[in-house]
Amino acid sequence: MIQVISVVGALLILIPFAANQFNRLNRDSAAYQLMNLAGSGTLAVIAVIERQYGFLLLEGTWALVSLWGLVSVLKK
C-alpha cells in the first residue's frame, strides 16, 4: 500500500511540473502549488515511516517551499 501512495505522491509532483513545461499550468497558480504541496507532503510522511532521512530532507524541504509558494499565490 505504501508503494501505491508513493506513486500517487510522485504523480502529484510530476503532473504539474510537466503541465508547466508544456505551458498548460502556470507555476504561479494555486493548483500548481497545491499539487506540489500534497505530493511532497505525502512523500515526506512516507519517508518518516520508512526512516529515509535523505528523502525526508528532500521532500520536507519541497513541501515547505510549496507551502510558501501557495501562501504567496493566495495573498495576491
Side-chain angles (χ1 to χ4, degrees):
M1 188 63 170
I2 286 183
Q3 289 299 319
V4 172
I5 296 169
S6 295
V7 169
V8 170
L11 287 172
L12 284 169
I13 294 171
L14 292 171
I15 289 170
F17 173 74
N20 178 257
Q21 294 300 306
F22 292 109
N23 295 316
R24 299 287 184 202
L25 185 63
N26 188 331
R27 68 183 178 94
D28 293 327
S29 70
Y32 180 91
Q33 297 297 336
L34 188 58
M35 284 189 277
N36 267 284
L37 177 58
S40 58
T42 298
L43 292 174
V45 168
I46 290 171
V48 168
I49 293 168
E50 297 290 321
R51 295 183 181 163
Q52 296 178 2
Y53 302 113
F55 194 50
L56 175 59
L57 176 62
L58 173 69
E59 294 304 331
T61 302
W62 194 307
L64 290 174
V65 171
S66 295
L67 179 60
W68 179 293
L70 181 61
V71 169
S72 297
V73 166
L74 294 176
K75 282 185 177 180
K76 291 182 182 179

